[in-house]
Amino acid sequence: MQRIISLIHKDFIVDWRQQNPISGILLYLASTIFATYMAFKGFVSVEVWNALFWIILLFTSINAISKSFIQEERRTHYYFYLCRPSEIILGKLIYSFLYLLCISVISLLIYVVLMGNPIINYPLFILNLVLGCIGLSSAFTMVSSIAFRTSNRSIMMAVLGFPVIIPVLILSISNSFKILDSYVFTQIQGNIITLFSVDVIIIALTFVLFPFTWKS
């Protein structure tokens, strides 16, 4: 556990010192939401509000997490003697989730201010957002761990990432729309459990596949 905490702390220090990626992501997030606001003049239906929010969050998460393992290329052999693969991937998964969750909260705040606030059931909406962030961060972390070994990383991220995130996106967007449409937890309980199960499957696959890609 101490090594996992140290790895999470290391990722935080690296991102804090290299502030250009963080600044770029925040600028991308703010400019995208503002462009959406200018295009629609702030007046959109609930369906469009929900779709635009998840589209913005999807592309922001790609930019934020795709670098997860690329920045570790020079330290790969050093990690061989310090940590087990399971510790490395667990640290990456936790940090990617926390990173994406912070970005999601910032995105939601800006989005609500500019595009209106149709959210009625905040706890249920946040629960679905957290589960969606777990799925997206886990999927892109797993894909990043595979793609960073290849020469065409951006292409591999797109090719491998798209099939993995489809079930997460479908369930997250569907749940979010139903929550905005005044559904209560008992009405979407099955979908929430299904989304959680998909997250668990992605995380389990990540733990199974990562030792082979890490030591290849």
Side-chain angles (χ1 to χ4, degrees), residues 109-122:
L109 292 176
I110 301 174
Y111 196 72
V112 164
V113 170
L114 294 180
M115 301 298 293
N117 182 17
I119 304 174
I120 300 175
N121 192 338
Y122 274 98

Side-chain angles (χ1 to χ4, degrees), residues 160-200:
L160 296 176
F162 184 69
V164 178
I165 64 173
I166 285 178
V168 177
L169 279 179
I170 291 176
L171 290 169
S172 298
I173 294 174
S174 175
N175 292 343
S176 181
F177 175 70
K178 290 178 180 179
I179 294 168
L180 295 176
D181 199 30
S182 302
Y183 279 54
V184 296
F185 179 76
T186 54
Q187 294 175 291
I188 62 171
Q189 182 179 357
N191 286 352
I192 292 291
I193 295 175
T194 304
L195 178 57
F196 176 75
S197 301
V198 172
D199 293 345
V200 172

